[in-house]
Amino acid sequence: MDDLMKELDISGDDLRAALNDMKGYVDVTEEDLKKIYLLALRHARERLALSVIVKDVMTKEVVSVRRDTRLEEIVRLLSERRISGLPVVNEGNHVVGIVTEADILSMAGMKRGHTFKDVLRHFIGEPLPGHKAGDRAEEIMTSHVITVTPDTSVSEAARILDERKIKRLPVVDDDGKLVGIISRADIVRSMSRK
């Protein structure tokens, strides 16, 4: 049993936390031991999940654009790379904005409920009410970008994504330079590896 606990990285703290979850006196039977084991395993997994940091799961090869990148190029990159957003960086690779599918839909005068196909129809000439002028990243990007650092915990990144209802966070170093991006999909993939 000790070897199994070491292999699964179950600590004495995990067992004590599991015993506290049991509430009351424990007459240890085989069934009780299984229950304690499963509770301890859950606590161990939660503890390990909190120790994973962004740099361990982020996408390091980030597709980004500059402020003067044309809308057609942005749409092409989003489509070809099958991504839903692109960080906008300056000459020093500092994040200055982000362009998402939602920004493009909004720029095209679309309200919620429209599809990416609707945007493509717009680009082939079909008029849409409320169309704003702008065909460069700096004209359609969201300027206030929430970022994280490589040492941010994955659980904190997940909390930010959930609270802000966003799909991705640019990852910047201490100088504010883009070094990666973490998405909800990256977090889900990291959970499947644990």
Side-chain angles (χ1 to χ4, degrees):
M1 186 67 140
D2 285 344
D3 289 338
L4 181 60
M5 287 175 52
K6 285 178 186 173
E7 181 180 306
L8 294 173
D9 200 19
I10 295 175
S11 70
D13 289 339
D14 295 323
L15 283 174
R16 280 185 287 288
L19 286 171
N20 284 336
D21 286 351
M22 296 288 293
K23 309 271 191 257
Y25 176 75
V26 179
D27 183 14
V28 180
T29 65
E30 187 175 326
E31 195 58 39
D32 289 334
L33 189 56
K34 286 179 186 175
K35 192 171 183 180
I36 292 168
Y37 166 78
L38 291 174
L39 289 169
L41 184 59
R42 186 190 82 216
H43 285 283
R45 285 182 176 154
E46 289 171 0
R47 180 177 44 78
L48 291 173
L50 292 175
S51 69
V52 177
I53 56 176
V54 166
K55 73 179 174 186
D56 296 333
V57 300
M58 71 183 187
T59 300
K60 293 178 177 120
E61 295 179 23
V62 183
V63 180
S64 63
V65 294
R66 298 287 176 97
R67 290 178 178 179
D68 63 348
T69 303
R70 297 185 58 81
L71 182 59
E72 293 82 8
E73 175 67 7
I74 293 168
V75 171
R76 184 188 66 74
L77 286 169
L78 291 172
S79 177
E80 285 180 2
R81 300 293 181 109
R82 296 181 179 192
I83 53 179
S84 59
L86 296 163
V88 181
V89 296
N90 64 16
E91 298 74 27
N93 205 37
H94 293 90
V95 177
V96 295
I98 193 161
V99 177
T100 67
E101 290 173 338
D103 293 320
I104 294 170
L105 290 171
S106 175
M107 183 276 316
M110 304 274 181
K111 294 182 174 66
R112 291 197 183 274
H114 284 85
T115 65
F116 200 65
K117 287 182 184 178
D118 294 330
V119 173
L120 296 177
R121 286 188 189 111
H122 170 70
F123 285 117
I124 61 171
E126 293 181 19
L128 294 170
H131 173 70
K132 298 177 187 174
D135 66 348
R136 302 212 181 269
E138 66 187 344
E139 297 167 325
I140 60 172
M141 70 184 186
T142 300
S143 297
H144 178 70
V145 183
I146 301 164
T147 62
V148 293
T149 65
D151 294 325
T152 302
S153 72
V154 168
S155 60
E156 174 66 7
R159 185 192 62 75
I160 294 168
L161 291 170
D162 182 53
E163 285 180 2
R164 299 295 184 136
K165 308 274 188 266
I166 53 180
K167 296 180 181 179
R168 79 214 46 80
L169 290 165
V171 182
V172 297
D173 64 14
D174 292 337
D175 296 323
K177 292 184 179 182
L178 182 66
V179 295
I181 196 159
I182 185 164
S183 68
R184 294 184 297 185
D186 292 325
I187 294 171
V188 169
R189 276 192 296 276
S190 78
M191 291 170 67
S192 70
R193 290 187 291 229
K194 285 287 171 198

